[in-house]
Amino acid sequence: MSRFSKTVVAALLAGCALGAHALDRYPGLGRVATAEEVKAWDIDVRPDFVGLPKGSGSVDDGADIFENKCASCHGSFGESNEVFTPLVGGTTKEDVQTGRVKALVTGSFPQRTTFMKVPTISTLFDYIQRAMPWTAPKSLKPDEVYAVLAYLLNLAEVVPADFVLSDQNIRDVQNLMPNRNGMSTDHGMWPGRGMGNGGKPDVKNVACMKDCKTEVKLTSSLPEYAQDAHGNLADQNRLVGGVRGKQTVAPAEGDEKAIAGQPSTNAIATALATEKGCMACHGVANKIVGPSYQDVAAKYKGQDGAEARLVAKVKSGGQGVWGAIPMPAQSHVKDEEISKLVQWILSGAKAQ
Amino acid sequence: MALQDERPGRLRRAPENFLTQEDIQAVQAGRRSFMRNAFVAASAAMGAPMLARAASGDSAIMNLPPWSTSLGQPVAARPYGLPSKYESNLVRRESPGLTRVGGSSVSFAPLQGLFGIITPSGLHFERHHQGWHDVDPGKHRLMINGLVKTQAIFTMDDLLRLPGVSRIHFIECGANTGMEWGNVAVPTVQYSHGMLSCSEFTGVPLRDLLEQCGADFKKGRYVLAEGADGSSMTRTIPMELIESGEVMVAYGQNGEMLRPENGYPLRLIVPGVQGVSWVKWLRRIEVGDKPWGAKDEAVHYVDLMPDGTHRQYSSIQEAKSVITSPSGGQILLAKGFYNITGLAWSGRGKIKQVDVSTDGGINWRRARLESPVLSKALTRFNIDWVWDGKPVILQSRAMDETGYVQPSYGQLRAVRGTKSIYHNNAIQSWKINESGEVGNVQVL
């Protein structure tokens, strides 16, 4: 067969498989996706479990995977508030029965954890599969997703400790989700006909123009202690015009910004740490994967040679000083930038 | 300060511009008191008639500045232009304590200093769930699958060849003003309303792409949009919005390509709908017959009501407005004339009317709407005002073309309580005290 006729046959076959329509409204634009390509990207799982991959995983396996791949951010029991709101907590055995989380009415739990809100188990499967672990998304195999999900369900007292979650029994577990009956689409804020009340607003006001009320009830204003929580407002407003920003923080000694209109050394260092990815693992005041910068500064305060040692450590990575989790070598960062960052960290990692 | 005092009827100017080194030091020691003193001086001076200008005159006039007496920079000294160094105060900022890690956080646009309706691309607010990337456009693909005759792949080459349209739309995060549901929590309009931006977007109507693939518009009443980043953010969009032609697959923003932080090279534009649906780094569109219940429509972006239920799939941004200046954290420099200026918008169409009150909502005056007034875009409003030095409470109230009027805090809370987090569109109040300081307050 000549090359030409091969192409024609292929095109005819493709045409048969796909029906008459073949990207003909704009000729030449776009191409047919192969089945493998669609499979590689179409990983979503719907509440009716369309898209759910086959597989299974036990609570036990899930506990191991969670400890290794999730606990550094979410805590060993999904309870941590360090990096994100806790995953587990605030639900009861009674909620599992009613499908309504009582703490959402009573406000008896300080946080709104994931399990207090999520109505559909598919949501968690879909999300963990596509996005977690946060720093290595899409690295879990389906069985691993089943396992960590089984572990989380066990922590939330939805399934027993010997449970194995699978594509076969996930529908049954759906019927135990603590907040499965907690959602409503009876509102006017869905811009389509398939759900909601057709767009009718729930809150009404009228455009009254004169003597609209007899008194002005002032219910809240910014407390004095919160005045400087957002930094110096004078530095957040234009330098000309009818208004200026309020001075809420006394300018620091040697802060050149107020005079030259240039960002300060601290601001530059903050931006650099963000750009180089340091802030993914370190908070200024809070531990994430690595120690907080303020803890680092406190530890090495007044120590000779600390700067040089830390520069070398950041460059080549290492573990054991703050725990078992290693810091990867930060070889993508230039030497002088590492020096700058370490100096800034040792000086207390101030933002401005 | 000698020269300053020779300018009768004027306030001593802002320290950065006209002060000597000594003055700057004085200011640095505590400008709050400086501002108060300045205000007292100004008030005293205002009563006096205009005096003859002292012989020496304004130093900004008498002493020629360097820019009048030397050679400036050549063309293309900065191949990509930047704002003046004197504008460096107006930048995106995070609200401390709001989130714990920068990769899953928000930066707010400095609304207090912006003009007109277009947000400069570099000041567009940011919300990322798993950090941002600078995606290689040569390797970016858009897949369309699901209920379509031909599942297809489009490259950026393909998309840029299709007929493009340009439209101006606002984008507002569903959680904008979310920190203020129960009480005042933040000092300025940047933090209270700054998850709001407006750009001219250029791209291809999603309807055209779905037609190119032979979408089943009868069965496929829902569309899933998915991003290419780590979070691969997904959201469900109703087919009605796509059929209207409004939903766009955009590559352009304010005349250039999208910024990486805003989804370069491709993002979905869903006019009138909260920002989370405007999926960035858009890699896939799936046509389906049911909504997907994604993480950001089943765990977040659900509105908690007083009875403990959550509203799911609440998406439209209802009419809202805010005075951007004078606004919280600012200080009025003197009594006299001010232009009260602000922004109004509605996810249901055009803004029809904005009213402004200076007495906390007892009496209202109609503000001027500046053109253009576009559907699902920010609308700039202005109104003349003379401040007499007495305490006032400023408010603005928007009405859209459907007749919906922006509610007060009292009205909103009566229906939705204070725990919703999302979709707070209550009337904002700014209180100005005798010293000219503007504070964030809430009025029922």
Side-chain angles (χ1 to χ4, degrees):
Chain A
M1 217 188 257
S2 76
R3 255 180 125 198
F4 172 76
S5 51
K6 241 189 202 162
T7 323
V8 171
V9 170
L12 281 173
L13 284 174
C16 292
L18 299 160
H21 199 283
L23 305 174
D24 50 8
R25 175 161 171 197
Y26 300 103
L29 298 189
R31 66 164 176 84
V32 177
T34 68
E36 292 74 29
E37 287 173 334
V38 173
K39 197 171 152 224
W41 275 13
D42 184 359
I43 57 171
D44 58 72
V45 182
R46 280 197 328 201
D48 57 3
F49 301 107
V50 168
L52 184 73
K54 283 200 173 26
S56 66
S58 67
V59 172
D60 267 355
D61 288 348
D64 289 344
I65 300 168
F66 200 87
E67 190 56 39
N68 285 326
K69 301 193 169 173
C70 322
S72 61
C73 292
H74 293 295
S76 291
F77 306 102
E79 82 295 348
S80 171
N81 199 26
E82 290 268 331
V83 174
F84 201 66
T85 322
L87 302 178
V88 183
T91 60
T92 64
K93 282 252 183 288
E94 195 194 329
D95 298 344
V96 170
Q97 260 156 33
T98 58
R100 286 290 305 274
V101 171
K102 205 158 178 197
L104 290 173
V105 187
T106 59
S108 57
F109 199 76
Q111 258 105 19
R112 280 181 243 170
T113 68
T114 310
F115 265 87
M116 285 168 70
K117 293 183 285 178
V118 66
T120 37
I121 189 169
S122 61
T123 303
L124 294 178
F125 191 100
D126 174 277
Y127 179 67
I128 293 170
Q129 173 167 264
R130 73 175 55 246
M132 287 295 135
W134 203 49
T135 43
K138 302 177 192 67
S139 61
L140 298 184
K141 295 186 191 69
D143 284 350
E144 295 177 302
V145 180
Y146 278 106
V148 284
L149 187 48
Y151 176 66
L152 289 173
L153 287 160
N154 176 248
L155 288 176
E157 298 182 87
V158 175
V159 302
D162 59 358
F163 195 75
V164 179
L165 180 70
S166 74
D167 57 294
Q168 296 302 309
N169 63 15
I170 197 166
R171 283 166 188 79
D172 303 333
V173 181
Q174 169 60 42
N175 293 328
L176 303 172
M177 292 294 281
N179 201 37
R180 64 187 177 278
N181 299 323
M183 295 284 156
S184 161
T185 55
D186 184 17
H187 56 74
M189 290 159 82
W190 174 251
R193 283 186 294 276
M195 293 188 278
N197 70 10
K200 214 168 92 238
D202 56 343
V203 183
K204 282 203 178 54
N205 192 4
V206 288
C208 165
M209 299 302 285
K210 237 182 116 44
D211 301 327
C212 301
K213 52 187 176 186
T214 48
E215 57 164 346
V216 176
K217 266 197 236 143
L218 211 137
T219 60
S220 175
S221 54
L222 196 67
E224 194 60 36
Y225 68 80
Q227 295 287 342
D228 62 355
H230 285 73
N232 190 4
L233 304 179
D235 295 340
Q236 303 181 21
N237 278 274
R238 187 163 282 119
L239 306 175
V240 292
V243 296
R244 294 292 186 279
K246 200 152 77 181
Q247 190 86 34
T248 45
V249 178
E253 205 72 49
D255 185 350
E256 62 272 45
K257 175 166 178 162
I259 301 164
Q262 295 291 347
S264 66
T265 329
N266 284 332
I268 292 168
T270 311
L272 187 64
T274 308
E275 185 199 323
K276 298 298 173 192
C278 315
M279 306 307 277
C281 294
H282 296 281
V284 168
N286 62 307
K287 168 183 175 297
I288 303 177
V289 177
S292 82
Y293 291 144
Q294 283 169 2
D295 286 346
V296 175
K299 182 179 177 95
Y300 296 105
K301 196 168 175 188
Q303 284 189 24
D304 279 349
E307 186 182 324
R309 267 189 288 133
L310 290 180
V311 168
K313 166 88 169 253
V314 173
K315 227 170 116 167
S316 53
Q319 71 198 88
V321 178
W322 298 89
I325 306 169
M327 167 163 63
Q330 303 295 307
S331 43
H332 61 290
V333 189
K334 289 199 210 98
D335 287 2
E336 69 258 31
E337 289 173 334
I338 294 181
S339 299
K340 227 184 250 169
L341 288 166
V342 168
Q343 281 161 15
W344 169 67
I345 292 165
L346 288 175
S347 73
K350 294 193 190 69
Q352 288 285 315
Chain B
M1 196 52 76
L3 284 167
Q4 291 296 306
D5 292 341
E6 287 152 16
R7 291 156 29 99
R10 294 302 302 264
L11 178 64
R12 287 186 281 183
R13 297 302 299 256
E16 289 82 356
N17 296 326
F18 295 96
L19 297 196
T20 64
Q21 276 304 324
E22 282 153 58
D23 290 334
I24 289 171
Q25 270 157 21
V27 171
Q28 287 192 330
R31 184 156 68 152
R32 266 186 103 163
S33 63
F34 169 80
M35 293 301 294
R36 286 225 180 76
N37 296 342
F39 183 76
V40 171
S43 311
M46 270 181 80
M50 290 286 280
L51 299 172
R53 193 171 285 284
S56 54
D58 181 349
S59 72
I61 294 171
M62 303 308 291
N63 304 336
L64 288 180
W67 49 87
S68 301
T69 54
S70 63
L71 177 62
Q73 313 251 359
V75 299
R78 297 194 294 204
Y80 194 101
L82 293 166
S84 158
K85 66 180 180 187
Y86 300 105
E87 294 296 313
S88 65
N89 283 353
L90 295 161
V91 292
R92 298 192 274 231
R93 291 174 194 275
E94 275 189 273
S95 183
L98 179 61
T99 56
R100 305 154 187 88
V101 276
S104 169
S105 189
V106 181
S107 71
F108 298 82
L111 302 182
Q112 68 275 21
L114 301 187
F115 309 118
I117 62 170
I118 298 292
T119 312
S121 299
L123 297 178
H124 193 293
F125 85 89
E126 296 170 278
R127 171 77 173 104
H128 314 307
H129 287 266
Q130 218 139 327
W132 61 271
H133 295 274
D134 202 351
V135 172
D136 178 349
K139 297 198 178 117
H140 189 72
R141 302 286 181 272
L142 176 66
M143 175 184 287
I144 297 188
N145 73 314
L147 299 175
V148 294
K149 287 208 180 87
T150 310
Q151 312 205 89
I153 307 290
F154 296 89
T155 61
M156 290 306 297
D157 294 343
D158 294 328
L159 295 169
L160 284 150
R161 272 172 71 185
L162 284 160
V165 295
S166 295
R167 293 184 194 136
I168 296 175
H169 289 298
F170 80 82
I171 168 172
E172 181 184 24
C173 177
N176 200 23
T177 324
M179 287 182 277
E180 303 260 310
W181 264 103
N183 50 266
V184 167
V186 296
T188 75
V189 71
Q190 175 157 19
Y191 306 106
S192 67
H193 289 73
M195 284 195 266
L196 172 73
S197 295
C198 184
S199 303
E200 184 197 62
F201 293 101
T202 300
V204 184
L206 179 56
R207 187 181 59 195
D208 293 359
L209 288 172
L210 292 188
E211 283 173 357
Q212 172 79 343
C213 299
D216 182 347
F217 287 98
K218 229 169 140 200
K219 255 179 86 188
R221 298 312 295 164
Y222 298 92
V223 157
L224 181 79
E226 178 182 83
D229 60 325
S231 79
S232 291
M233 157 83 69
T234 45
R235 278 287 300 191
T236 305
I237 319 286
M239 191 58 101
E240 286 87 347
L241 276 189
I242 292 153
E243 287 168 322
S244 79
E246 280 189 359
V247 176
M248 262 203 276
V249 170
Y251 41 79
Q253 179 182 354
N254 298 330
E256 56 185 3
M257 287 293 278
L258 291 162
R259 293 290 171 88
E261 297 93 320
N262 303 125
Y264 180 91
L266 204 63
R267 92 174 298 175
L268 198 67
I269 306 299
V270 194
V273 166
Q274 61 187 353
V276 65
S277 294
W278 298 41
V279 173
K280 296 187 279 191
W281 314 289
L282 181 71
R283 77 166 191 182
R284 194 168 68 92
I285 292 286
E286 181 174 345
V287 180
D289 58 354
K290 287 191 185 133
W292 273 263
K295 188 262 280 177
D296 287 305
E297 45 199 26
V299 183
H300 304 282
Y301 305 90
V302 289
D303 312 8
L304 182 59
M305 294 294 114
D307 68 355
T309 57
H310 282 95
R311 286 184 177 170
Q312 202 176 9
Y313 299 108
S314 53
S315 302
I316 294 175
Q317 296 298 107
E318 298 183 298
K320 185 166 168 181
S321 69
V322 66
I323 293 170
T324 53
S325 191
S327 61
Q330 297 184 331
I331 299 180
L332 273 57
L333 291 184
K335 290 189 234 179
F337 181 85
Y338 282 87
N339 177 45
I340 296 176
T341 189
L343 294 165
W345 62 100
S346 167
R348 291 206 176 89
K350 284 185 191 169
I351 287 295
K352 194 166 144 202
Q353 177 180 323
V354 177
D355 304 312
V356 169
S357 170
T358 53
D359 60 9
I362 297 172
N363 297 293
W364 298 80
R365 284 192 296 146
R366 184 79 38 92
R368 296 190 304 276
L369 302 187
E370 306 300 340
S371 59
V373 177
L374 300 169
S375 179
K376 305 178 186 179
L378 293 187
T379 296
R380 174 64 63 176
F381 67 85
N382 289 306
I383 188 166
D384 296 352
W385 178 56
V386 176
W387 185 45
D388 59 7
K390 298 210 181 77
V392 293
I393 295 179
L394 304 184
Q395 297 182 328
S396 67
R397 181 184 67 196
M399 183 204 278
D400 68 18
E401 61 181 336
T402 70
Y404 174 91
V405 180
Q406 182 184 6
S408 68
Y409 264 105
Q411 291 165 332
L412 193 65
R413 286 181 186 147
V415 179
R416 300 193 197 160
T418 58
K419 304 247 160 66
S420 160
I421 299 182
Y422 303 97
H423 302 112
N424 177 358
N425 68 330
I427 290 171
Q428 170 69 42
S429 305
W430 304 119
K431 180 168 196 252
I432 307 181
N433 67 17
E434 289 98 334
S435 66
E437 292 184 15
V438 191
N440 184 3
V441 298
Q442 289 186 349
V443 171
L444 288 186

